[in-house]
Structure formats: C-alpha cells, structure tokens
C-alpha cells in the first residue's frame, strides 16, 4: 500500500471523483509523521485556502481511511456534509477500528444522518470490543428530536463512547429525558453536552430526570446544560442529587435563569461536596446576594472548586469584593471570570491586588488592570473556560490555552484540538 496521499488519489480516480486540493494538502502534511494523527479539514480555517468538504469528498475520505491505522482523529467542522456524507462516514466507523474522535460540528446533518452514525456505533460495539470511537461532536447539526433519540438508543448498547456533544442540535423534551434515562445505566460516557434544546414546557421535567440520573450515575465527569431555560427550581433539583454524587467535576449552567436562590443551592453543595471543580454560571442573574452565598462556600477549606465563571450576572461591589476575599482565604480557586458585571472602583482595586500579589494569574481571569489619572480600572481580555465553538484564529497559530481553560482540568476527554467550547 502506498502513502495516504497516493491512496486518496487512487480512490478519487477509481470513483471518478474530482480531487479536493485542500484534502490533498492536509494529507501531504501528514507524510512521514508517526504516532496518532488528526486530519484537520475545517471549513472555517482563515489561515489557508479552503475548499469545503462535500458528500463526495466524504466518500473519498471514507474509502481512503478504511484500512488506515495512523489517523485517529477526523476534524470536519464547518463543511458541506449532509445526511449522504454522514452515511459515508458511518461506513468508515464500521470498518476503521483506529478512529478515536470525529468532529462534525456545524455541517448540515439531520435526522437520517444521525441515524446512520448512531447505528454504525452500535455495530462497532457489537463487532469490536476495543479500539472504537471515543469522542463524537455534532454541535450545530439540526438532528432534531428524532436524531437525538437514535443516539439515546445507541448509548444503551455502546460501551466505549466517552464524549458526546449534541448542543445546538434542536433536541426536544423527549430526547433530553431519553438521554437522562439512558445515562442511568451507561458506564462509559464521561462528558455530555445537550445545551440549547428546544423546550416548550415550564415545568422543567428535564431537570427532574437529570437529577434522578445524577443520583445513580457515578461515571459522568462533565454535564453541559447551557441555554436550557433552567430556573432556581431546576437548579435545586440538580443540587439535591449532587449532594450524593461524588464524580461530577464540571457543571455548566451558563445562559439560564438562575438567580440568588439557585446560587444558594449551589453554595450548599460546594460546602459539602468536594468533587465539583468547575462551575460555569455565565449569563445568569445571581447578583450580589448569589455571589455572597458562593463566596461563603469558597472560603471554607472543604470547598475544592478550582474555576468559577460568573460574567454578566449583574453583580456589583459587595458580591465581587466578597469573592476576592474568599480567594484570599482559600487557595484552591485558581480561575475566576467576572467581566460583564458592575466593575466599580473597589472591585477594580480588589482584583488589582489579587493580580499584583500573584494570588490570581493574569492567564486565569478575563480582566487586566490599567490606570488612568490614578484611578485603577479593569479591561476585558479574551480568556475564559470555554470559547465559542465557531471561533477560529484570524492570524498566527492557535497557542493561547487561557481562552479555553477548562481543557486543562478535563483530562478524561479526547480533545483533538483546542478550538472547541465545552
């Protein structure tokens, strides 16, 4: 067998397909490399000339990689792959036992494509007891409630998948509840992202089922529940379960409707549960009272929280200053993100002291200090737990881990690249 580039050219000739220059360039770059290789064929790369991957290109890639044992990651974000292309990639998953991660973020895969991929993972589990796909990302593909139900059914059988991301995929109440039920028994999944489903009920049935799942599941490490419309009632249900859950390390509740009462429930968990390490409450409304509750918990030696994200929560001086004092009392909290709140002069001075003393690293917060006419102020910097998944560098290489800090904590996942977000 020739090089991977020669195999690709041969496949295109055999199938009478036009060679994609972008794919050819990326394959040529892998020549001579050893170890695990990730093919980065992202359609939104602004640093090189891109020819987006189509369904026919997916067919050619599937045939090219069928017997390849060096490529372990396939990054196909922001391309033109539809259900037909998903079918070709599903065929690849059935035949290639070395592929560990597949990223299809923001393509045009819908219910049928989701079914093809889900069934291929079921076949992989039955026929291959080891060396199967570990990470699958379908963020932004409108697989809908039907497509998500296929993945829920797959998780009943699959015992190898560790990371599943179906955020922004138009999930419904039925599929979210199905995921919660399946996770009662699934022992392999470590991270699940079901953010931004389309929920029309105000009774928060999904939170109740997820709470029940957290009581039983002792394997899940990350749970992403952003943009769920969750209120304090839902948070209270989750925290009831977290009092007896000692495995969840990362709880993502950004962009919900959490107020000070929800923050109080979370503070009670932080006081007694030493497992939770990352808490994302960005774009809620916990205000000063909620920040006070959290700071009281953080100041205790029993709290092991390492990262707290609270941008855009309408927190003013009292709450933010109390958090800065809590950081002085407990050295465990190393990352804190506060931009978008009311950064008045006492707050600026408090965080300036944290930064100048070395207690808070400039790489571990989203503000930096500057001074005008003797007045200390804070400016925003592009740091955070998880950046938007559609972000891509416009110049230079992507070498700033501070903008995706959660990756440093989540070593249970496969991260073929650092440009994700969570």
């Amino acid at each position: 067998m020739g090089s991977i580039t020669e195999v690709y050219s041969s496949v295109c000739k055999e199938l009478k397909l036009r060679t994609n220059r972008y794919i050819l360039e990326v394959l040529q770059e892998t020549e001579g490399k050893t170890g695990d290789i990730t093919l980065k064929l992202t359609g939104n790369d602004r640093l090189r000339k891109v020819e987006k991957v189509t369904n026919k290109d997916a067919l050619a890639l599937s045939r090219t990689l069928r017997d390849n044992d060096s490529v372990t990651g396939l990054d196909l974000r922001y391309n033109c792959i539809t259900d037909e292309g998903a079918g070709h990639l599903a065929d690849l998953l059935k035949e290639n036992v070395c592929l560990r991660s597949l990223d299809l973020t923001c393509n045009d895969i819908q219910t049928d494509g989701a079914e093809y991929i889900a069934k291929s993972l079921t076949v992989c589990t039955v026929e291959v007891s080891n060396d199967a796909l570990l990470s699958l990302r379908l963020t932004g593909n409108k697989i809908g409630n039907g497509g998500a139900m296929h993945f829920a059914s797959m998780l009943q059988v699959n015992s190898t998948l560790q990371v599943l991301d179906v955020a922004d995929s138009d999930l419904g109440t039925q599929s979210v509840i199905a995921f919660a039920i399946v996770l009662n028994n699934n022992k392999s999944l470590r991270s699940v992202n079901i953010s931004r489903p389309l929920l029309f009920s105000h009774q928060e049935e999904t939170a109740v089922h997820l709470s029940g799942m957290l009581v039983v599941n002792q394997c899940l490490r990350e749970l992403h529940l952003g943009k769920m419309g969750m209120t304090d009632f839902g948070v209270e249900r989750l925290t009831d379960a977290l009092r007896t859950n000692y495995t969840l390390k990362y709880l993502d509740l950004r962009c919900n409707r959490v107020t000070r009462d929800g923050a109080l429930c979370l503070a009670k968990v932080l006081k007694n549960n030493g497992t939770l390490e990352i808490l994302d409450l960005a774009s809620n409304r916990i205000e000063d009272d909620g920040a006070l509750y959290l700071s009281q918990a953080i100041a205790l030696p029993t709290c092991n929280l390492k990262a707290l994200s609270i941008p855009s929560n309408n927190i003013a001086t009292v709450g933010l200053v109390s958090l800065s004092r809590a950081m002085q009392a407990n050295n465990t909290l190393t990352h804190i993100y506060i931009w978008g709140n009311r950064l008045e002069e006492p707050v600026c001075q408090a965080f300036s002291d944290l930064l100048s003393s070395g207690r808070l690293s400039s790489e571990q917060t989203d503000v930096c200090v500057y001074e005008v006419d003797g007045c200390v102020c804070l400016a925003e910097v592009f740091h955070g737990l998880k950046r938007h998944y559609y972000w891509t560098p416009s110049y230079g290489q992507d070498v700033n881990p501070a903008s995706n800090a959660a990756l440093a904590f989540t070593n249970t996942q496969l991260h073929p690249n650092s440009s994700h977000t969570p």
Side-chain angles (χ1 to χ4, degrees), residues 8 33 66 110 112 118 136 178 205 246 262 314 320 332 376 402:
Y8 172 69
K33 290 186 178 179
R66 183 166 49 188
Q110 300 184 25
D112 290 343
L136 175 63
E205 304 97 327
Y246 297 101
N314 197 35
L320 292 171
T332 305
V376 175

Side-chain angles (χ1 to χ4, degrees), residues 85-139:
H88 299 318
L89 294 172
D91 292 336
L92 173 63
L93 292 175
K94 293 176 185 177
E95 299 173 0
N96 185 310
V97 297
C98 296
L99 194 64
R100 299 299 186 89
S101 64
L102 177 60
D103 192 339
L104 293 168
T105 295
C106 290
N107 279 275
D108 193 21
I109 299 170
Q110 300 184 25
T111 302
D112 290 343
E115 182 180 4
Y116 299 147
I117 294 173
K119 286 185 175 179
S120 72
L121 294 177
T122 304
V123 171
C124 286
T125 303
V126 173
E127 298 181 354
V128 184
S129 59
N130 57 3
D131 292 334
L133 194 73
L134 300 180
S135 174
L136 175 63
R137 299 186 185 277
L138 285 161
T139 311

Side-chain angles (χ1 to χ4, degrees), residues 271-337:
K271 290 178 182 178
N272 302 305
N273 184 326
T275 307
L276 198 63
E277 295 181 354
I278 306 176
L279 179 60
D280 192 344
L281 289 171
S283 300
N284 282 281
R285 200 171 182 82
I286 66 171
E287 301 184 311
D288 277 341
D289 288 343
L292 282 170
Y293 296 141
L294 292 175
S295 62
Q296 291 168 6
I298 291 168
L300 297 176
T302 54
C303 179
N304 288 322
L305 193 70
K306 295 180 180 179
L308 175 64
S309 179
I310 49 172
S312 303
N313 266 274
N314 197 35
I315 307 172
T317 299
V318 174
L320 292 171
V321 170
S322 68
L323 284 169
S324 69
R325 291 172 180 166
M327 291 190 68
Q328 298 284 13
N330 187 341
N331 290 327
T332 305
L333 185 66
T334 56
H335 296 66
I336 187 168
Y337 305 96

Side-chain angles (χ1 to χ4, degrees), residues 85-215:
H88 299 318
L89 294 172
D91 292 336
L92 173 63
L93 292 175
K94 293 176 185 177
E95 299 173 0
N96 185 310
V97 297
C98 296
L99 194 64
R100 299 299 186 89
S101 64
L102 177 60
D103 192 339
L104 293 168
T105 295
C106 290
N107 279 275
D108 193 21
I109 299 170
Q110 300 184 25
T111 302
D112 290 343
E115 182 180 4
Y116 299 147
I117 294 173
K119 286 185 175 179
S120 72
L121 294 177
T122 304
V123 171
C124 286
T125 303
V126 173
E127 298 181 354
V128 184
S129 59
N130 57 3
D131 292 334
L133 194 73
L134 300 180
S135 174
L136 175 63
R137 299 186 185 277
L138 285 161
T139 311
N141 290 278
K142 305 309 178 185
I143 64 174
N145 200 59
M149 290 299 290
H150 289 300
F151 283 112
S153 298
M154 175 269 295
L155 290 174
Q156 291 181 305
V157 180
N158 187 288
S159 59
T160 56
L161 193 67
Q162 295 182 7
V163 180
L164 178 61
D165 189 340
V166 287
D168 293 286
S169 298
D170 292 357
L171 277 62
T173 301
Q174 181 187 13
S175 54
V176 173
I177 292 175
F179 276 120
I181 293 172
V182 167
L183 287 173
N184 285 330
N185 299 310
N186 184 284
K187 305 299 181 185
S188 63
L189 209 59
R190 298 291 180 267
S191 171
V192 61
N193 189 344
I194 52 175
S195 297
R196 212 227 67 176
L198 302 181
L199 307 178
F200 299 102
S201 170
H202 294 288
Q203 297 181 10
E204 301 198 59
E205 304 97 327
T206 53
V208 174
H209 283 83
L210 289 167
S211 173
M213 177 272 294
L214 288 172
V215 172

